[in-house]
């Protein structure tokens, strides 16, 4: 999986998200030449496009969806401190085009956050999802083995973090738990993930996030740093941790693993190779 999938196309001229703190919005308004470049350095988590991520082997897409404040249109964007240049609808069509040329591939789309979405906008978003993917959507009453999904022609599982919409649409799956460590150090992140494993895996889909997270203190101590530099330094240790994991239903098993800058290192290959532990070549 890719964490914050759509940050490769954040809009450099975008306003700060309405969901951010008043302090961040105030500083960005007063000192945009200084603050905005810093926000961009710490907001970008991916450099590959969504099609390139799919080609690389990513099958879990983390979509943080938002509606811009004071925007009279129905356009929806992705957000991570600032908004993207592309709309949600355009990306859903892009995914569909890729799936049509890869009929045996299955993609999980996690729709989250919903910054600024009203009931009307939720209805619009779900209608777009259903119109674009149609019978490719796997209903939540289906046990999604690959064999079953291939037989029924399903290629998309959409998890949706909004209970009202879930009750109305059988095509939407419940929110997928995301183990987010919120740590600035690799060791602390691994300790958190190991603690979560000891508590036992959820019964269905869940994500172990190997993404580090900055805080204000970390940014002040590393004025010339960026989320990319922070992530690349952590990859060798996280690579070792990934190779030690086991997929499957047992208590300490891993399901989906999501990271930042998935085009770097052998992250995707290492995760996919874990499957050989339960299905030897």
């Amino acid at each position: 999986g890719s964490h914050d999938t759509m940050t490769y196309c954040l809009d450099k001229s975008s306003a700060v998200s309405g969901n951010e703190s008043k302090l961040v919005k105030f500083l960005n308004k007063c000192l945009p030449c200084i603050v905005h470049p810093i926000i961009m350095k710490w907001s970008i988590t991916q450099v590959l496009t969504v099609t390139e991520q799919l080609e690389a082997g990513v099958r879990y897409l983390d979509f943080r969806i938002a509606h811009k404040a004071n925007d009279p249109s129905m356009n929806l964007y992705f957000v991570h401190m600032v908004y993207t240049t592309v709309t949600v609808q355009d990306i859903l069509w892009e995914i569909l085009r890729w799936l049509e040329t890869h009929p045996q591939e299955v993609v999980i789309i996690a729709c989250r956050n919903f910054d600024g979405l009203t009931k009307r906008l939720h209805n619009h978003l779900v209608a777009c999802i259903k119109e674009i993917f149609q019978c490719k959507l796997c209903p939540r009453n289906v046990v999604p083995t690959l064999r079953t999904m291939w037989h029924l022609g399903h290629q998309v599982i959409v998890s949706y973090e909004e209970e009202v919409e879930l009750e109305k649409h059988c095509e939407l799956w419940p929110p997928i738990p995301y183990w987010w460590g919120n740590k600035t150090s690799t060791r602390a992140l691994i300790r958190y993930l190991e603690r979560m494993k000891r508590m036992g895996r959820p019964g269905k889909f869940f994500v172990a996030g190997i993404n580090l997270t900055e805080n204000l203190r970390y940014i002040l101590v590393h004025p010339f740093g960026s989320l990319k530099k922070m992530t690349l330094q952590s990859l060798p240790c996280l690579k070792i941790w990934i190779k030690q994991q086991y997929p499957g239903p047992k208590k300490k098993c891993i399901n989906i693993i999501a990271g930042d800058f998935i085009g770097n290192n052998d992250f995707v290959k290492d995760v996919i190779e874990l499957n050989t532990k339960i299905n030897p070549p």
Side-chain angles (χ1 to χ4, degrees):
S2 58
H3 166 251
D4 256 312
T5 302
M6 295 305 303
T7 54
Y8 63 86
C9 57
L10 293 177
D11 186 353
K12 291 178 183 177
S13 61
S14 162
V16 173
S17 156
N19 220 20
E20 294 304 318
S21 68
K22 289 180 181 178
L23 176 62
V24 170
K25 286 188 275 191
F26 175 75
L27 290 173
N28 188 57
K29 192 173 182 179
C30 295
L31 302 163
C33 295
I34 298 170
V35 176
H36 210 74
I38 294 172
I39 287 173
M40 293 299 293
K41 280 199 307 179
W42 293 98
S43 297
I44 295 170
T45 67
Q46 306 296 340
V47 291
L48 301 184
T49 68
V50 72
T51 297
E52 288 169 340
Q53 290 181 40
L54 291 168
E55 288 288 340
V58 167
R59 296 295 177 269
Y60 168 88
L61 304 173
D62 176 18
F63 283 176
R64 317 291 177 95
I65 295 172
H67 183 256
K68 293 179 180 178
N70 305 316
D71 182 356
S73 77
M74 299 282 281
N75 289 338
L76 297 174
Y77 296 85
F78 304 95
V79 68
H80 189 213
M81 292 194 77
V82 295
Y83 302 100
T84 56
T85 54
V86 299
T87 65
V88 172
Q89 208 166 353
D90 287 342
I91 293 302
L92 295 179
W93 282 113
E94 187 175 338
I95 294 168
L96 175 68
R97 288 192 293 271
W98 188 85
L99 288 170
E100 285 176 336
T101 58
H102 299 78
Q104 287 198 305
E105 296 296 336
V106 173
V107 173
I108 299 172
I109 300 174
C111 297
R112 311 169 63 193
N113 280 42
F114 303 126
D115 180 12
L117 265 70
T118 59
K119 184 178 178 181
R120 181 164 168 254
L121 287 166
H122 274 294
N123 290 338
H124 172 63
L125 174 57
V126 175
C128 286
I129 290 169
K130 291 168 76 169
E131 177 198 352
I132 290 167
F133 294 119
Q134 298 186 25
C135 62
K136 289 187 184 298
L137 285 172
C138 179
R140 63 177 176 269
N141 63 345
V142 172
V143 178
T145 65
L146 285 175
R147 191 185 301 277
T148 301
M149 294 187 75
W150 290 337
H151 176 68
L152 298 173
H154 300 321
Q155 289 185 268
V156 184
I157 291 172
V158 176
S159 82
Y160 204 88
E161 288 192 0
E162 174 58 50
E163 282 188 25
V164 175
E165 298 303 320
L166 276 176
E167 290 172 7
K168 291 191 292 185
H169 304 280
C170 67
E171 297 89 349
L172 301 179
W173 288 61
I176 294 175
Y178 194 107
W179 290 356
W180 176 51
N182 193 19
K183 306 294 182 186
T184 57
S185 89
T186 314
R187 286 184 180 182
L189 175 60
I190 290 173
R191 281 197 300 269
Y192 162 80
L193 293 171
E194 287 299 316
R195 188 169 69 250
M196 295 299 289
K197 282 170 60 182
R198 285 194 296 273
M199 291 167 62
R201 60 154 292 169
K204 298 186 179 178
F205 292 120
F206 75 99
V207 183
I210 62 160
N211 48 290
L212 293 174
T213 306
E214 81 292 345
N215 54 35
L216 183 58
R217 182 177 175 277
Y218 188 92
I219 292 172
L220 292 174
V221 172
H222 301 83
F224 302 107
S226 67
L227 191 56
K228 185 170 186 179
K229 194 177 290 185
M230 184 185 189
T231 300
L232 296 185
Q233 289 169 352
S234 73
L235 286 178
C237 286
L238 289 169
K239 180 184 178 73
I240 294 168
W241 182 84
I242 289 169
K243 284 179 169 289
Q244 293 169 344
Q245 304 314 303
Y246 284 83
K250 294 179 182 176
K251 181 181 175 180
K252 291 187 178 181
C253 285
I254 288 294
N255 186 220
I256 299 166
I257 303 177
D260 290 334
F261 301 101
I262 58 91
N264 290 281
N265 205 277
D266 295 323
F267 167 66
V268 175
K269 183 173 73 70
D270 290 341
V271 174
I272 292 170
E273 281 182 356
L274 294 179
N275 292 302
T276 61
K277 294 182 179 182
I278 47 174
N279 289 309

